[in-house]
Amino acid sequence: MQTIDISKNLKEIKDTFLNPECLLVAVSKTKPISAIQEAYEAGIRDFGENKVQEITDKAPSLPEDIRWHMIGHLQRNKVKYIVPFIHLIHSVDSFRLLKQINKEAEKINKTIHCLLQVHIAKEGTKFGWNKEELNEFLLGDEIKTMHNIRIMGLMGMATNTANKEIIKEEFRTLKTLFEALKTQSLPEIVEMKEISMGMSGDYLLAQQEGSTMVRIGSAIFGSRNYN
């Protein structure tokens, strides 16, 4: 069995970065605590997980200064389990989910940082807001009732395709929307600082199109075993 050299992989990835300011979120889903610890020792502090249970299982055994990112589809009934220690929720794909996050955060008197996930892919299996829903919500009245969230920006997932032009076009769509929203008179709880796009196969394209954080898993930790 081939041994994965995590610190070497991290160095090679960082050496290719077009924007050194872009945050690398190491996606540790399905990976053991030992692999996360190795990446931590190589200097990584931001880790992304797809499932609530993986975060709640792993976090107690790992250093407290790790910043946990929820990047997968989040069910409303699972929100309460991660609000005590989550750093950033990338995958806020609906108003109902945002409302639930606000409600659970209010219970423990905490402000939760969120990104709104926009549906940019051609695939119907991806989640997210469309442009009209986003504008209506951000410029409407309902957002004014949310005092325990802070919207830091947008997140998007490109179509799973080898066609780079399609991927670039989708990333560009998200960046254009991001820039357009920044010109609006948005509520105080909206900062529009971050744009989370790009994964192991397309993070360089994402950086070309203005990504401020990339979510990289298999290029760091090796391919996943879902069994």
Side-chain angles (χ1 to χ4, degrees):
M1 194 172 137
Q2 192 185 4
T3 308
I4 306 293
D5 189 335
I6 290 171
S7 63
K8 179 171 173 274
N9 290 347
L10 280 165
K11 185 183 183 308
E12 286 174 358
I13 289 163
K14 285 191 167 178
D15 284 348
T16 67
F17 265 33
L18 305 172
N19 173 13
E21 298 297 306
C22 185
L23 178 70
L24 192 164
V25 178
V27 179
S28 47
K29 65 179 183 179
T30 78
K31 295 299 172 183
I33 283 166
S34 57
I36 298 171
Q37 189 69 48
E38 198 178 326
Y40 178 89
E41 282 159 16
I44 297 295
R45 293 295 176 270
D46 294 86
F47 291 88
E49 290 284 347
N50 266 44
K51 291 192 164 76
V52 168
Q53 183 150 3
E54 279 206 69
I55 298 180
T56 56
D57 286 352
K58 292 171 180 176
S61 306
L62 285 156
E64 285 184 12
D65 62 338
I66 282 179
R67 295 181 288 266
W68 292 102
H69 296 245
M70 179 65 194
I71 63 170
H73 180 57
L74 178 58
Q75 294 168 293
R76 295 197 308 282
N77 63 348
K78 301 273 178 74
V79 170
K80 62 188 172 193
Y81 301 114
I82 59 167
V83 288
F85 55 83
I86 200 74
H87 173 70
L88 180 66
I89 302 175
H90 291 231
S91 48
V92 180
D93 56 18
S94 71
F95 171 64
R96 289 173 75 198
L97 175 58
L98 201 61
K99 212 169 159 181
Q100 188 68 29
I101 295 166
N102 186 68
K103 180 182 168 184
E104 296 297 342
E106 194 174 15
K107 286 180 188 174
I108 60 168
N109 194 28
K110 188 179 174 183
T111 300
I112 302 288
H113 288 195
C114 300
L115 302 178
L116 301 181
Q117 182 175 349
V118 182
H119 190 284
I120 56 171
K122 305 283 186 284
E123 297 155 325
T125 52
K126 300 279 197 296
F127 297 94
W129 306 66
N130 64 38
K131 185 180 170 183
E132 291 70 30
E133 288 169 338
L134 209 56
N135 276 308
E136 196 178 317
F137 169 64
L138 290 172
L139 303 171
D141 291 326
E142 285 176 306
I143 193 170
K144 294 169 188 166
T145 65
M146 298 187 173
H147 305 296
N148 289 78
I149 54 162
R150 185 160 286 276
I151 294 166
M152 305 304 292
L154 305 179
M155 181 268 234
M157 294 174 75
T159 301
N160 185 10
T161 174
N163 188 325
K164 289 185 177 180
E165 290 311 310
I166 289 175
I167 295 168
K168 279 169 80 169
E169 182 194 329
E170 289 168 356
F171 286 154
R172 202 163 291 160
T173 298
L174 190 62
K175 182 66 159 62
T176 302
L177 178 58
F178 177 76
E179 293 299 338
L181 287 169
K182 278 168 72 173
T183 67
Q184 304 272 13
S185 180
L186 297 168
E188 271 183 29
I189 67 159
V190 183
E191 285 194 45
M192 281 298 150
K193 279 170 65 176
E194 306 291 354
I195 181 161
S196 168
M197 57 186 188
M199 301 192 290
S200 288
D202 56 23
Y203 70 90
L204 292 176
L205 291 178
Q207 286 185 351
Q208 280 172 16
E209 300 304 330
S211 176
T212 67
M213 48 176 77
V214 291
R215 312 176 301 272
I216 301 180
S218 55
I220 299 169
F221 298 107
S223 55
R224 293 188 184 89
N225 178 6
Y226 288 100
N227 295 329

